[in-house]
Every structure is written in C-alpha cells, then in structure tokens.
C-alpha cells in the first residue's frame, strides 16, 4: 500500500471522541467543533448520539482516544459528568482525559474541575482556546497510558 | 510512566485475555508506528486460519456503514467473533480527519457489543491505512474470526482492498450513477458479491437494469451474476447478503488467502525497513550527494554511484 506524504506529518495525531449524550438540537455546533479539531490535525471520532455514560466509555476504549470532549447544552451536565467519571474510575480506564463544554454555571465549573472534567468552556469561546486546551490534556493523558 | 517491558507485558497479557483496551492500544501502537509494536506482535502473533476478512466497498454514501450495522450482528449470531474497522480519509492539508462511520453503526454496536475501530487513512492512497494489515493481525491473533473492513468511500478502482480481504462486497445504490461509475472503475472485476442497496428509492429498477447491462460486457470468467437487493434502513435483504457472504467463504482457499496477506505485509515491512535505512544513509551522505550535484553527473548515474558505495560498505 502506497503511503503519501512524509510519515512525520501524520505522526501520532491526537484522537478525540466528540460525544453528544443528549438530543438537544445543537448538531451544527458539534460539526463546527469537529471541523476545527480536524483542521488542527486531530482525528475526530464522531459517533452521533451516545446516550449513556456506558456507551461513551465503551466507544472511547475501542477507539483508544486521548480525549473525550463532551458538549452539553441542556443543563444535565453535572449528572452526566458525574456518572461518566465514576464509570471511568470503576473500569480503571487510564490515559483518557475528559473535557467539557456548554452552558455551565460558574459554581458548577469548580465542581467539575474537581472530579477531573476540565475546560468547561461556554458558547463563544474562541476555537483556538479549546484546541490548545485539548492538546494539553491529550499530552497529559498520553503520559498516563 | 511505565517502563517499556511492563508496558509490553500489560498489552500482551491484556490481548490474551481479550481485553478491549489492550486490543485497541495495540492498534494505536501499529498506527503510530511505535517501536513497541513489533515487540507486541512477536508475543501475540498466532496463525489463525479461521479468520476471514470481509471488505464492504462502494461509492461514498451508498450505505456501507448502514449495511455493516446489520451484517455484524448477524455474523455474531451465527457464532463468530466479529470486529469492524472503518477507514475515513485524512485531510491532505492538516493530516487530521473526521471519522464518521460510527454514526450509522453506533446503535447496532451498542446492542451487540461488537468491537469497532475507526481509522484514518493517514495519507495512504487506495482507501485504506498503511497499518490496516497490522490491525487485522492484532484482531486475528486476539481471536476475532470475522473482520469487516469498510474502506474510504470511493468510485475509483481501489484495488488495495484485494490484498487484505477474503470476500469483497461491492455496494451500489441508485441515483448517483454508481452503476456506471463502478463499471468505469473496474469494480466489477473486484467483486465477489454485488449489492444494490436503497431498494426503497424510486430509481432502483433502472439502476439495476443499467448495471446488468454493464455486467454483460465483463469477460464471463470474471462475472458475478448475482445482485443482492437490500434496504439498509429496514434491514430487508441483509439476511440474504449474510448467506451469500457465508457461501462465498466456503469457496475461499484459506491457505492462499493467508499467504497473500502474509506476503503483502512482509514485503511492506521490509520495504519500510529499507526505506528507513536508506534515509539514514542519505542523511549521512548528504554532503557527498551535494558535491555530486555540482559534478555535472546525471541523477541516474549519481544514484548508481551511491548504491555502489552502500553495497561496498555492507
Ligand atoms: N433510503 C435509503 N437510505 C439509505 C439506505 N442505506 C443507507 N441509507 C442512507 O444513506 C446515507 C449514507 O449511508 P451510510 O451507511 O453512511 O453510507 P456509507 O457508504 O457508509 O457512506 P460513507 O462512509 O460516507 O462513504 C445515510 O443517510 C443512510 O441513512 C437505504 O437502503 N435506503
Ligand atoms: Mg460509512
């Protein structure tokens, strides 16, 4: 099989699972993120709806992602992230960082940080900020794999 | 950070216990061409003659992923251990990629628990990834006996799929001139099984007629007559498709298939090794090559000279 461009160019791209746990009608936002991540050289796994924390964890494991990025606009963030982080711990998953985003009140942000969900950017955050954050978390995650 | 030895041992033991994270990790090592990978392969490799690799190919959007969401669970119900690899193209500008084949499979994967991995082509042409054979070897060694491959959607004659599969299903769908594209691209010679998907669409009869006409122009020894009609939304026709795949498998010479996949991979690895070595030599000799450039010597004679030097050294 032919390989095209120099291998170095494609070396070890960051793998991100872009997860959407609820139908909250913001597909467009998700696609904008997906495109931005791809253009930043990442491999973006987009599975459509991942209704349960179990389905998020199972998918993240098969795909061996570095980062799970979850965007939530429907206010259910605390419950979803709590379940997800508990499950990741229970299944002893190592080397996968969780990054959040959406409409998240400031008081919740601190709580989320505490359980390991970082970022938690609101709408209007420059894409470059989100991308830099994901790169940083991916690097940390990889050192724990 | 674990040390190298314990990292290898973790992955190897995990694969022996069929742990999904270990299998997934090994595939990543292959994709990233980590130096750990050969050490993992050497410890897990087993010649699993039961493994069949089924390629589902066809134009973008013809319904490959949707069909796989039915085929996978049905093969599983027939007693197989099934894994899926679906490839999407990488961006030639950034190297990144949008891996979206799960969208049509996710529900089915969650119900069945089938292992599924999305891969980027990472710059490979031909609709696959350079590391696809390594991924197949990992899965096969881990005990999966049916591996379904979805290459990048293409109307082109991506014949690379022939090197790694034992059964090729070519999917057509009405409305986009697929049938003519397939004919032009030489997909007809590739196929073991033809599928006309989206039978719920109004143009399907015309599409099938057109396609049959083109089929009649293929040399008879290479012709596949049967076209299976499916609807990959309702699942109609997918039982028949699975039966047809199983029928085709019965006629596959597994020893020859194994030999083909093995040979292709050994050559790829060897080429890779030579390429790396050559690059090192070229770097070491870069001053010498630069001097030749001013000597008036043509590039072919200069390359001859370089090879002579290398041969004399080893
Ligand atoms: N009407 C109809 N639509 C279908 C059928 N099969 C698939 N589709 C739709 O066709 C679109 C593409 O389906 P996919 O399964 O993603 O096709 P694909 O060949 O995997 O596409 P790529 O991976 O992008 O090349 C989706 O919107 C499907 O819902 C079918 O039998 N009938
Ligand atoms: Mg697809």
């Amino acid at each position: 099989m032919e390989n095209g461009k120099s291998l170095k160019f494609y070396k070890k791209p960051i793998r991100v699972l872009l997860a959407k746990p609820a139908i909250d009608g913001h597909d467009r936002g998700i696609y904008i993120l997906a495109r931005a991540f791809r253009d930043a050289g990442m491999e973006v796994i987009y599975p459509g709806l991942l209704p349960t924390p179990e389905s998020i964890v199972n998918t993240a494991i098969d795909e061996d992602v570095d980062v799970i990025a979850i965007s939530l606009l429907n206010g259910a963030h605390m419950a979803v992230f709590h379940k997800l982080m508990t499950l990741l711990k229970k299944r002893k998953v190592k080397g996968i960082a969780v990054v959040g985003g959406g409409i998240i009140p400031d008081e919740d942000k601190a709580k989320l940080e505490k359980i390991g969900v970082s970022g938690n950017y609101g709408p209007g955050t420059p894409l470059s900020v989100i991308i830099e954050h994901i790169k940083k978390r991916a690097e940390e995650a990889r050192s724990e794999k | 950070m674990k040390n190298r030895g314990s990292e290898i041992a973790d992955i190897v033991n995990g694969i022996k216990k069929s742990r999904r994270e270990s299998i997934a990790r090994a595939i990543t090592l292959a994709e990233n061409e980590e130096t750990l990978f050969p050490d993992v392969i050497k410890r897990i490799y087993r010649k699993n003659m039961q493994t069949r690799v089924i390629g589902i190919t066809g134009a973008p959007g013809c319904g490959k992923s949707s069909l796989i969401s039915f085929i996978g669970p049905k093969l599983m119900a027939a007693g197989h251990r099934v894994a899926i690899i679906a490839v999407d193209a990488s961006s030639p500008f950034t190297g990144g990629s949008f891996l979206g084949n799960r969208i049509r499979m996710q529900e089915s994967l969650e119900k069945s628990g089938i292992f599924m991995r999305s891969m980027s082509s990472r710059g490979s042409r031909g609709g696959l990834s350079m590391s696809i054979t390594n991924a197949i070897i990992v899965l096969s060694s881990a005990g999966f006996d049916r591996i379904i491959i979805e290459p990048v959607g293409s109307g082109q004659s991506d014949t690379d799929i022939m090197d790694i599969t034992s059964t090729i299903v070519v999917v057509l769908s009405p409305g986009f001139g697929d049938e003519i594209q397939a004919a032009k691209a030489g997909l007809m010679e590739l196929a073991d099984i033809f599928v006309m998907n989206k039978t719920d669409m109004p143009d399907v009869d015309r599409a099938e007629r057109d396609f049959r006409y083109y089929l009649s122009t293929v040399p008879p020894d290479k012709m596949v007559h049967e076209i299976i009609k499916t609807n990959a939304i309702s699942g109609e026709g997918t039982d028949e498709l699975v039966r047809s795949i199983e029928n085709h498998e019965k006629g596959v010479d597994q020893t020859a298939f194994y030999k083909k996949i093995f040979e292709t991979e050994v050559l790829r690895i060897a080429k890779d090794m030579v390429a790396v070595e050559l690059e090192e030599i070229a770097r070491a000799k870069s001053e010498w090559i630069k001097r030749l450039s001013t000597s008036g010597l043509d590039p072919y004679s200069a390359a001859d000279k370089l090879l002579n030097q290398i041969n004399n050294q080893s």
Side-chain angles (χ1 to χ4, degrees), chain B residues 120-137:
Chain B
S120 156
S121 65
R122 296 208 180 169
S124 284
R125 292 182 286 265
L128 295 169
S129 150
M130 267 234 298
S131 30
I132 194 122
T133 314
N134 275 329
I136 291 171
I137 291 171

Side-chain angles (χ1 to χ4, degrees), chain A:
Chain A
M1 268 154 258
E2 288 268 286
N3 64 318
K5 287 262 170 61
S6 146
L7 286 173
K8 282 163 212 93
F9 183 59
Y10 290 100
K11 210 125 214 187
K12 305 182 195 182
I14 293 169
R15 287 172 69 83
V16 185
L17 173 63
L18 199 52
K20 195 177 73 139
I23 303 174
D24 51 11
H26 70 295
D27 262 0
R28 222 171 66 103
I30 284 274
Y31 282 119
I32 290 170
L33 280 179
R35 205 198 150 106
F37 294 169
R38 185 201 66 184
D39 291 346
M42 300 179 195
E43 291 181 357
V44 186
I45 293 110
Y46 182 62
L49 195 65
L50 286 172
T52 63
E54 281 81 10
S55 56
I56 296 174
V57 173
N58 289 338
T59 306
I61 287 174
D62 279 13
E63 298 286 2
D64 192 25
V65 296
D66 306 299
V67 176
I68 301 173
I70 304 185
S71 162
L72 267 175
L73 291 176
N74 66 356
H77 47 270
M78 284 314 286
V80 170
F81 283 122
H82 238 286
K83 274 197 209 149
L84 176 65
M85 298 315 282
T86 310
L87 196 62
L88 283 172
K89 233 188 228 153
K90 204 173 112 201
R91 306 245 318 241
K92 299 193 174 71
V93 176
K94 284 196 191 74
I96 299 181
V98 179
V99 171
I103 301 170
I104 301 171
D106 281 340
E107 68 262 31
D108 286 351
K109 280 184 190 166
K111 287 184 208 156
L112 287 174
E113 285 277 350
K114 221 173 180 173
I115 60 169
V117 182
S118 69
N120 304 314
Y121 299 111
T125 309
L127 289 168
S128 58
V129 171
I130 301 174
I131 287 165
E132 275 322 301
H133 183 72
I134 288 190
K135 283 186 179 165
K136 188 182 120 227
R137 290 298 317 271
E139 203 171 308
E140 290 164 13
R142 280 190 178 182
S143 70
E144 284 163 23
K145 273 206 210 289

Side-chain angles (χ1 to χ4, degrees), chain B residues 15-29:
Chain B
I15 291 174
K16 286 188 176 151
K17 290 182 193 139
S18 287
R19 292 189 64 215
R20 295 171 91 113
E21 37 271 81
S22 308
I23 296 164
R25 193 80 204 106
I27 295 175
T28 308
L29 294 181

Side-chain angles (χ1 to χ4, degrees), chain B residues 59-66 101 104 150 153 197-198 200 231-233:
Chain B
C62 65
K64 300 178 289 297
S65 302
S66 306
N101 283 310
R104 306 282 161 214
E150 178 183 339
N197 188 38
K198 307 197 185 182
D200 54 317
N231 175 338
I233 307 266

Side-chain angles (χ1 to χ4, degrees), chain B residues 82-99:
Chain B
V82 181
I84 300 165
I85 303 175
V87 187
D88 270 307
S90 56
S91 151
F93 302 107
T94 66
S97 50
F98 180 79
L99 309 178

Side-chain angles (χ1 to χ4, degrees), chain B residues 30 37 55 71 83 93 131 143 195 215 229 237 242 261 266 277 293 311:
Chain B
F37 185 71
I71 299 169
F93 302 107
S131 30
V195 169
L215 264 187
K229 292 189 216 168
V242 170
I261 239 182
V266 170
E277 214 167 299
S293 74
N311 284 334

Side-chain angles (χ1 to χ4, degrees), chain B residues 113-127:
Chain B
I114 290 175
F115 181 93
M116 192 284 190
R117 177 67 172 234
S118 313
M119 274 180 128
S120 156
S121 65
R122 296 208 180 169
S124 284
R125 292 182 286 265

